[in-house]
Amino acid sequence: MTSRSEKKISYGRNILILLLLMAATFAVIFRGDDFPAFLSALKDADGRWLLLGLLCMFLFVGCEAANMHQISHTLGFPLKYFRCGQYAFIGFYFSSITPSASGGQPVQIYYMKKDRISLAHSSFMILYIVMVYQMAMLLLAGLMAALHPALAAETAGHLKYLLPFGLAVNGLAAGLMALLLISRTAAEKLLRFFINLCCRIRLVKSGEATLQRGLRELADYRKHARIIQKNPRLFLRVLCISMLQMTFLSLVPYCVYRALGFAGYTPGEVITCQSILTLSASAIPTPGAVGAAEGGFLFAFRHIFGPENIKTAMLLSRGISLYLFLIVSFIVCMAVQIRIARHSESEDSK
């Protein structure tokens, strides 16, 4: 069996797991006469607000592309924003179909390599973005909790089993990645981890040869680290954009809230609930956090949507932020794959 065939089987298996989890989630949610009620509510929903929620997801991905764009320019390998957008969509898609979002970053690095971006450049940029994203997730949840303490305490009480786990995992991940930026030994260990992961998911054929090339590029990695350490403004810009990115994601439930005809809660209050839910469910090791995110939504937003509308709200919110956007991301991934395949064919014909 070829490596390409094995890779397709691996991704197909992950997509199948995601579909099964979605089916199981829907089966639990749609008990009795819930599905006709959902269709009726969807028919009466304001489509303009639903489209605005979808726009928030495009802006969510666009923020990651903006961070890639400015980091690449700062580090001396400038990338066009449109190309960064492609990598951001690829990251969203593969993070959503792999457990614990483990596949997004390695596949981004793989496609960057196909576009002749060195492993040192791509791995450092992705590490930096993920580290600041983790920090932004923690910071946004903390900030919104400070602005709406009573609502945050109520939401945290509903998520009392998920939230401590999410805090621990995301806090540890952010601290570990910060260490990697200042420690050469830690950076080398990260390189070995990524290459081993790529080998397991069949993105890299020769792990040892790739590792040796990566070690030679580690000098460039350390150079990037020194540039970053001397450029605190870049960190602040990336952090602000990452905070904005998290805000766009957290605005999707508010768009659903308004689409269903509600107007009592402010955007800040809805963002408070969603930011705490995102922090809680993001560490759950299922593709797209399916199951935990849906179940958590039913608890976190019950007091906002009410028990009679909560299932409809959850399905619309997750439908926009995950299921529908997976289709969009898949289309972008296919377009990128076609572009790279055509480029390879033209290179071979020369």
Side-chain angles (χ1 to χ4, degrees), residues 315-347:
L315 289 168
L316 288 175
S317 181
R318 289 289 283 173
I320 292 171
S321 62
L322 178 63
Y323 308 128
L324 178 58
F325 215 67
L326 266 178
I327 298 174
V328 176
S329 301
F330 175 77
I331 293 171
V332 174
C333 289
M334 291 300 98
V336 173
Q337 183 61 41
I338 291 171
R339 172 180 65 79
I340 289 178
R342 288 178 175 174
H343 180 73
S344 298
E345 289 176 359
S346 64
E347 288 289 319

Side-chain angles (χ1 to χ4, degrees), residues 83-212:
R83 185 62 56 84
C84 293
Q86 293 178 353
Y87 299 142
F89 272 106
I90 288 171
F92 179 90
Y93 179 76
F94 285 96
S95 292
S96 298
I97 67 170
T98 51
S100 300
S102 59
Q105 291 75 41
V107 179
Q108 284 178 316
I109 293 172
Y110 168 79
Y111 277 101
M112 289 180 189
K113 184 173 179 59
K114 289 291 185 180
D115 286 330
R116 302 183 186 281
I117 300 172
S118 75
L119 185 63
H121 293 340
S122 60
S123 61
F124 185 91
M125 179 172 65
I126 295 300
L127 169 67
Y128 193 67
I129 289 174
V130 173
M131 179 197 72
V132 180
Y133 181 86
Q134 298 280 351
M135 292 180 177
M137 187 188 307
L138 293 162
L139 185 58
L140 180 63
L143 176 63
M144 299 312 297
L147 293 174
H148 305 280
L151 182 61
E154 183 179 0
T155 303
H158 292 314
L159 301 172
K160 58 184 177 181
Y161 299 111
L162 281 177
L163 182 57
F165 180 69
L167 277 170
V169 171
N170 287 294
L172 180 63
L176 178 61
M177 285 182 241
L179 175 64
L180 293 173
L181 292 177
I182 60 176
S183 169
R184 178 173 182 173
T185 301
E188 182 176 330
K189 290 182 178 179
L190 175 71
L191 176 66
R192 293 179 183 275
F193 170 78
F194 266 119
I195 291 175
N196 289 334
L197 181 61
C198 289
C199 288
R200 286 199 298 269
I201 61 178
R202 303 296 192 272
L203 289 179
V204 172
K205 295 180 180 179
S206 176
E208 184 60 31
T210 303
L211 175 61
Q212 293 305 317

Side-chain angles (χ1 to χ4, degrees), residues 302-303 305-311:
R302 181 172 293 271
H303 55 290
F305 289 98
E308 67 280 1
N309 298 298
I310 185 62
K311 292 181 180 179

Side-chain angles (χ1 to χ4, degrees), residues 236-250:
L236 292 177
R237 291 198 304 269
V238 175
L239 179 62
C240 288
I241 292 177
S242 297
M243 290 280 288
L244 188 61
Q245 181 182 14
M246 293 300 305
T247 301
F248 284 130
L249 178 65
S250 299

